[in-house]
Amino acid sequence: MNVEEHRRLRELLGAYALNQLDPAERTAVQAHLDGCAECRAELAVIAPLAGPLRSVDPARLERRPELPPPGLEESILAAIKAEPRPPRRRWILAAAVLFAVGASGVGIGYVAAPDPPKIPIEPVSVTPIAAGIRSTASVVPHTWGMEIKLAGSGYEPGRRYRVVVLDSDGRTAPAGEFIGTGPAPMVCNLNSSVLRAEARSFEVRDESGRVVLEGQV
Ligand SMILES: [Zn+2]
């Protein structure tokens, strides 16, 4: 497999799950998914996070007043079938160690994955502090620390947000940054060196340091 292509297309998986790719990119991602178990595993984790956010997109609500079914397969099929919408939002990748995630994976329904190992992904509760923010989050334990998969909308467009993890001793460790996308949903991966067993919470802070979202882990 072409590593550069894998890296480039993997960064598009969030936008793919959110149905924000143009047709050429979507086709490229689909073709890559057929041959890349790592990206299929990553998409399997992202798609459930992206689904609820897509459902609150006003443009989609006009077409589909009902909430999309929670099933992964339906979410992905909806993303494939629906028309692309500009502007495209790129998936914000906040961390350099993303590829470590690919060591394990989950198969998904519409592509053949004969013996899918499991990603131990764990949904966690989040509390928005700032008005207008909607978010969901899951965490994934790793040998090197804890990964947070954060989906959300309502973060001020163009503004930088920092995520920190607080451990059981009250220390904080950086988990990465992302750029707000306003009403458009975004999905980002954040990685901290705090081990899952030591982590107690995480915070999303705006440029002034104000906490805009808290997560309990
Ligand atoms: Zn790949």
Side-chain angles (χ1 to χ4, degrees), residues 54-122:
R54 272 208 321 270
S55 73
V56 302
D57 181 325
R60 284 193 66 84
L61 283 177
E62 287 173 20
R63 288 201 294 272
R64 292 188 58 178
E66 79 281 16
L67 289 175
L72 169 64
E73 193 168 0
E74 288 89 340
S75 296
I76 291 175
L77 289 175
I80 292 167
K81 286 174 185 167
E83 294 172 352
R85 271 183 308 105
R88 193 190 82 193
R89 310 285 179 181
R90 284 185 65 90
W91 187 26
I92 310 296
L93 291 179
V97 285
L98 175 70
F99 303 121
V101 181
S104 59
V106 181
I108 57 177
Y110 83 103
V111 286
D115 187 19
K118 293 275 189 290
I119 289 181
I121 185 163
E122 175 190 351

Side-chain angles (χ1 to χ4, degrees), residues 1 5-7 9-10 13 32-33 36-40:
M1 182 200 313
E5 179 186 79
H6 166 69
R7 190 168 304 187
L9 294 178
R10 187 164 196 169
L13 288 176
H32 179 73
L33 284 168
C36 182
E38 286 187 34
C39 285
R40 287 199 302 270

Side-chain angles (χ1 to χ4, degrees), residues 80-164:
I80 292 167
K81 286 174 185 167
E83 294 172 352
R85 271 183 308 105
R88 193 190 82 193
R89 310 285 179 181
R90 284 185 65 90
W91 187 26
I92 310 296
L93 291 179
V97 285
L98 175 70
F99 303 121
V101 181
S104 59
V106 181
I108 57 177
Y110 83 103
V111 286
D115 187 19
K118 293 275 189 290
I119 289 181
I121 185 163
E122 175 190 351
V124 297
S125 70
V126 295
T127 307
I129 310 296
I133 289 180
R134 291 179 55 110
S135 266
T136 58
S138 293
V139 300
V140 182
H142 292 284
T143 53
W144 41 260
M146 185 180 74
E147 175 186 1
I148 301 168
K149 292 181 178 296
L150 180 72
S153 62
Y155 295 94
E156 288 185 45
R159 301 295 294 273
R160 185 177 300 272
Y161 292 87
R162 285 188 164 77
V163 181
V164 298

Side-chain angles (χ1 to χ4, degrees), residues 1-21:
M1 182 200 313
N2 182 317
V3 172
E4 282 306 312
E5 179 186 79
H6 166 69
R7 190 168 304 187
R8 183 176 70 82
L9 294 178
R10 187 164 196 169
E11 291 183 2
L12 296 177
L13 288 176
Y16 176 77
L18 292 166
N19 190 32
Q20 292 172 339
L21 293 180

